[in-house]
Amino acid sequence: MYAIVEIAGKQFKVAKDQYIYAPKLEGEAGSAVSFDKVLLVDNGGSIDIGVPVLSGVAVAGKIVEHVKGNKVLVFKKKRRKGYAVKNGHRQQFTKVQIESIG
C-alpha cells in the first residue's frame, strides 16, 4: 500500500514505515504530523485517484529530526573583470517517518 501526498508544494510517494525528507516543517522531534492533501492511494491493486485530492484520507507521520541537506556551491564569475564570488547554501529538511495511510 502506498500513497502520493503533497507536502509544501512537492509530491512524495510514501509507504508505511518509510522515512522521507520533506521541506522543513513546524514542530519538534517526536511530534505527530498529518498530511491531508492525498492525491492517490494504491491499496493492493485498487487505485483511488483524487480530483484533485481525496477527501477523508490522510497520511499520519512522526517528526524524527530536523537536518540539513548537502552543500550547494554557487559560483559567479565575469571574465576579464577580476570578479569572482563563491557562496554556499544548505537546505533545511525534516526527516519524517510515515506511520499510517488512511
Side-chain angles (χ1 to χ4, degrees), residues 4 7 15 20 23 30 32 42 49 52 55 61-63 72-73 84 88 91 94:
I4 296 180
I7 304 170
I20 61 168
D42 180 6
I49 300 174
S55 61
K62 181 177 72 172
I63 295 177
V72 177
L73 294 177
Q91 189 70 33
T94 301

Side-chain angles (χ1 to χ4, degrees), residues 83-101:
Y83 172 78
V85 175
K86 181 179 173 184
N87 286 321
H89 175 73
R90 292 184 73 183
Q91 189 70 33
Q92 295 191 3
F93 294 102
T94 301
K95 186 176 181 181
V96 178
Q97 181 181 10
I98 304 300
E99 293 180 335
S100 67
I101 298 173

Side-chain angles (χ1 to χ4, degrees), residues 38-54:
V38 179
L39 306 174
L40 180 141
V41 173
D42 180 6
N43 191 359
S46 170
I47 297 176
D48 296 328
I49 300 174
V51 186
V53 296
L54 291 169

